[in-house]
Amino acid sequence: MDVTMDVPTDGERPVSGSIVEALRAAGCVFAEEEAGLLTEAAADGAELAALVARRAAGEPLEHVVGWAEFCGLRMAVGEGVFVPRRRTEFLVQEAAGLARPGAVVLDLCCGVGAIGAAVAAELAGAVELHAADIDPVALSYARRNLAAFGGRVHEGDLYAALPRSLRGRVDVLVVNAPYVPTDAIGLLPAEARDHEPRTALDGGPDGLDVQRRVAAAAPAWLAPGGHLLIETSARQAPSTAAALTAAGLAVRATTSEDLHATVVIGRREVAVG
């Protein structure tokens, strides 16, 4: 959609009413709230008009304003990266509940590092925080989001990205790997389908290809008694649980009705004797 706005020549911003009207015309359900966020993000009227035009053209609001709210924090995001979802706050809650001060926390498939940063925030930064992903664009944001917690960022394919010094030391391994089946990608909202990287969405034929790889190698990286937590869907949870069980972990699943979220948790048992 071509959005035309009257932009004052004296540097003042367009009136809020015109912004709201433009966003409503583009189909934005929460036009008033979005208008406020766009106004806050713009330095002047010309920039505001450009931001509104981008949003009206279908870009995710978070990409346009440069941040996403997650667990009460502002996470830096931008064009071409996966936007943290509110349902994933349940994964953070479960991970933070298992972590203890001084814990080694690893955010694998970290994207912009939102999960790791939020877990660290819940523990007032008292963790050894690591994050890894294959996408260098996402990692450029992860470095910003993890900086306040001293987080270390590693680039590469799953565990291949990690320093060997982490083997057998991870207390909390938290993962939001892609779990959308390939054939279902086309059913996603356009904001995700057209503006987020395929590698952050596509989980293979049944959606669980990456989860299985994560689970299979997890025991070698977990500390005794350490936990692996993976976000999944309610429908896929039995298969996710089977992958963790096959890796030798003690498994349970938990759900949040409020957030429509499911997390499967595996624990590396402590050897006796």
Side-chain angles (χ1 to χ4, degrees):
M1 172 179 288
D2 179 28
V3 176
T4 301
M5 298 180 64
D6 294 329
V7 180
T9 58
D10 62 0
E12 294 182 0
R13 303 181 185 191
V15 297
S16 179
S18 65
I19 302 170
V20 172
E21 290 171 4
L23 295 174
R24 282 177 178 163
C28 298
V29 176
F30 302 104
E32 292 83 358
E33 292 85 347
E34 293 195 12
L37 293 171
L38 292 166
T39 300
E40 175 189 330
D44 54 34
E47 184 179 8
L48 180 56
L51 296 181
V52 173
R54 287 174 57 191
R55 177 61 181 139
E59 286 191 52
L61 176 67
E62 295 84 357
H63 286 180
V64 176
V65 300
W67 59 273
E69 182 178 351
F70 185 73
C71 292
L73 305 172
R74 283 195 176 190
M75 301 294 178
V77 300
E79 293 181 61
V81 303
F82 181 85
V83 176
R85 311 296 201 249
R86 184 167 181 267
R87 65 174 171 270
T88 305
E89 293 182 359
F90 182 59
L91 181 59
V92 170
Q93 294 168 14
E94 292 296 308
L98 293 170
R100 297 292 180 267
V104 177
V105 176
L106 171 59
D107 182 357
L108 196 62
C109 302
C110 71
V112 301
I115 299 170
V119 172
E122 287 289 329
L123 277 83
V127 297
E128 179 185 330
L129 178 60
H130 296 263
D133 201 283
I134 200 170
D135 182 357
V137 177
L139 290 180
S140 69
Y141 292 98
R143 291 184 181 93
R144 294 163 58 184
N145 291 324
L146 300 180
F149 308 102
R152 281 165 272 184
V153 174
H154 313 283
E155 181 178 344
D157 184 22
L158 299 181
Y159 301 102
L162 304 176
R164 293 186 62 83
S165 59
L166 276 180
R167 289 180 67 90
R169 293 186 55 237
V170 178
D171 298 300
V172 175
L173 171 51
V174 60
V175 184
N176 185 17
Y179 57 92
V180 179
T182 302
D183 290 345
I185 296 293
L187 303 177
L188 293 175
E191 289 185 5
R193 188 178 65 243
D194 297 339
H195 296 280
E196 294 180 330
R198 182 86 175 214
T199 54
L201 302 172
D202 192 344
D206 68 350
L208 303 181
D209 281 1
V210 182
Q211 289 190 3
R212 292 190 186 94
R213 292 178 59 206
V214 168
W221 295 88
L222 289 172
H227 291 85
L228 164 62
L229 302 93
I230 299 184
E231 178 177 298
T232 191
S233 70
R235 179 181 59 81
Q236 293 165 304
S239 297
T240 301
L244 272 64
T245 299
L249 302 176
V251 180
R252 62 184 175 89
T254 183
T255 62
S256 167
E257 294 185 4
D258 291 340
L259 293 174
H260 304 287
T262 300
V263 173
V264 174
I265 302 171
R267 180 177 183 270
R268 179 186 167 189
E269 299 287 19
V270 179
V272 178

